């Protein structure tokens, strides 16, 4: 694995941002599952940077609610509770139908082309049984719709909720298609492409209800691999 230190330009000061981005990506894609301990010394070794860069990266992830910092115990990938899982999907069900309707009003042919390409990548990940990529692409699809809607406040809420939803899906899914059924995403794209805001809103609302029903909020997965194994490319 290439170290983050090697990716830094010699002319630029070393930043904690690449560590933050790498860990965020690993968490959202389920490369590191919920509840995993994130020791500073081990992360420092994995990324070949000093612990002084690990700490602010973990603090930023904690601000994003992707990491939990515990006094005298260290950092852990956040492990959403059952109540939090329900509340996050309830919030999504309030916001994302409106976002889908806005997207249907303003979507351009170029934006629709990008959504269709995204669906192809989702389908490929599902066919390959790449669960991590499927979770990441599922969230990315919903983010893309928020981008098309061009409402910065709604988009910021959607981004935050989707990051936390990815952890919930990783922790509680009971069937592979809980990430996002392909037919639901295809129907959404068609409604947006045909500029049907009411249809897009209704489809999004129904889709989120289906997503929540595809989770088993009593299920908690166990992982026996080391952090180094999880992060190894």
């Amino acid at each position: 694995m290439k170290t983050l230190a090697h990716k830094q330009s010699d002319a630029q000061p070393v930043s904690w941002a690449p560590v933050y981005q790498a860990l965020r990506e690993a968490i959202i894609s389920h490369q590191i599952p919920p509840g995993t301990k994130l020791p500073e010394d081990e992360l420092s070794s994995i990324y070949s940077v000093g612990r002084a860069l690990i700490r602010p990266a973990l603090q930023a992830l904690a601000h994003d609610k992707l990491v939990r910092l515990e006094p005298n115990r260290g950092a852990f990938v956040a492990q959403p509770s059952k109540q939090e899982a329900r509340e996050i999907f309830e919030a999504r069900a309030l916001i994302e139908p409106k976002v889908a309707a806005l997207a249907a009003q303003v979507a351009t042919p170029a934006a629709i082309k990008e959504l269709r390409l995204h669906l192809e990548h989702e389908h490929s990940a599902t066919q390959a049984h790449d669960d991590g990529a499927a979770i990441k692409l599922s969230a990315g699809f919903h983010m893309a719709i928020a981008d098309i809607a061009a409402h910065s406040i709604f988009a910021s809420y959607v981004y935050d909720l989707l990051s936390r939803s990815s952890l919930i899906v990783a922790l509680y899914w009971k069937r592979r298609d809980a990430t996002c059924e392909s037919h639901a995403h295809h129907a959404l794209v068609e409604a947006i492409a045909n500029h049907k805001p009411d249809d897009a809103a209704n489809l999004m609302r129904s889709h989120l209800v289906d997503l929540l029903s595809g989770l088993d909020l009593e299920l908690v997965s166990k992982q026996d691999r080391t952090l180094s194994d999880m992060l190894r490319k």
Side-chain angles (χ1 to χ4, degrees):
M1 181 176 67
K2 292 182 178 180
T3 66
L4 295 179
H6 290 160
K7 296 179 182 180
Q8 297 285 340
S9 169
D10 291 338
Q12 296 177 343
V14 177
S15 168
W16 55 265
V19 177
Y20 163 82
Q21 291 292 348
L23 283 172
R24 188 178 189 278
E25 175 93 0
I27 291 169
I28 290 178
S29 68
H30 196 200
Q31 192 176 348
I32 313 174
T36 301
K37 185 173 176 58
L38 302 171
E40 290 183 8
D41 55 350
E42 190 169 357
L43 290 172
S44 179
S45 176
I46 290 170
Y47 291 123
S48 297
V49 297
R51 293 176 65 175
L53 297 182
I54 299 297
R55 293 189 192 105
L58 292 174
Q59 290 167 354
L61 289 165
H63 181 269
D64 293 344
K65 296 185 169 34
L66 295 177
V67 162
R68 183 179 75 254
L69 300 178
E70 297 188 9
N72 303 317
R73 293 196 65 215
F76 298 81
V77 177
Q79 193 163 346
S81 67
K82 292 179 285 186
Q83 179 178 348
E84 184 179 356
R86 292 190 182 95
E87 290 176 353
I88 286 173
F89 274 91
E90 286 171 359
R92 288 184 65 183
L94 287 174
I95 296 172
E96 288 195 66
K98 176 63 175 178
V99 169
L102 289 173
Q105 292 172 0
V106 301
T108 64
I112 297 302
K113 182 178 179 180
E114 287 298 316
L115 282 181
R116 296 193 195 283
L117 180 61
H118 194 100
L119 290 182
E120 292 179 12
H121 293 316
E122 279 192 58
H123 181 72
S124 296
T126 301
Q127 292 297 308
H129 302 294
D130 188 341
D131 296 343
I135 292 173
K136 178 184 173 183
L137 287 166
S138 170
F141 176 84
H142 288 257
M143 289 179 182
I145 291 175
D147 288 339
I148 293 170
H151 191 296
S152 62
I153 303 301
F154 280 150
S156 67
Y157 283 120
V158 170
Y159 292 169
D160 176 63
L161 291 168
L162 285 169
S163 294
R164 298 167 71 182
S165 292
S166 294
L167 287 177
I168 290 165
V169 172
L171 185 61
Y172 293 114
W173 70 351
K174 65 182 178 184
R175 64 176 196 261
R176 187 174 300 278
D177 62 1
T179 51
C180 273
E181 296 87 340
S182 60
H183 65 82
H185 278 188
H186 280 286
L188 269 167
V189 171
E190 292 309 310
I192 293 170
N194 291 315
H195 303 292
K196 295 182 177 180
D198 289 342
D199 288 354
N202 290 333
L203 285 165
M204 181 65 82
R205 190 176 296 107
S206 175
H207 173 45
L208 291 170
V209 170
D210 287 344
L211 270 177
L212 181 57
S213 71
L215 304 177
D216 182 351
L217 297 184
E218 301 299 328
L219 179 65
V220 177
S221 59
K222 301 293 184 182
Q223 293 285 338
D224 297 323
R225 296 181 302 151
T226 67
L227 183 58
S228 295
D229 287 339
M230 294 175 193
L231 291 172
R232 185 175 295 126
K233 297 295 185 181

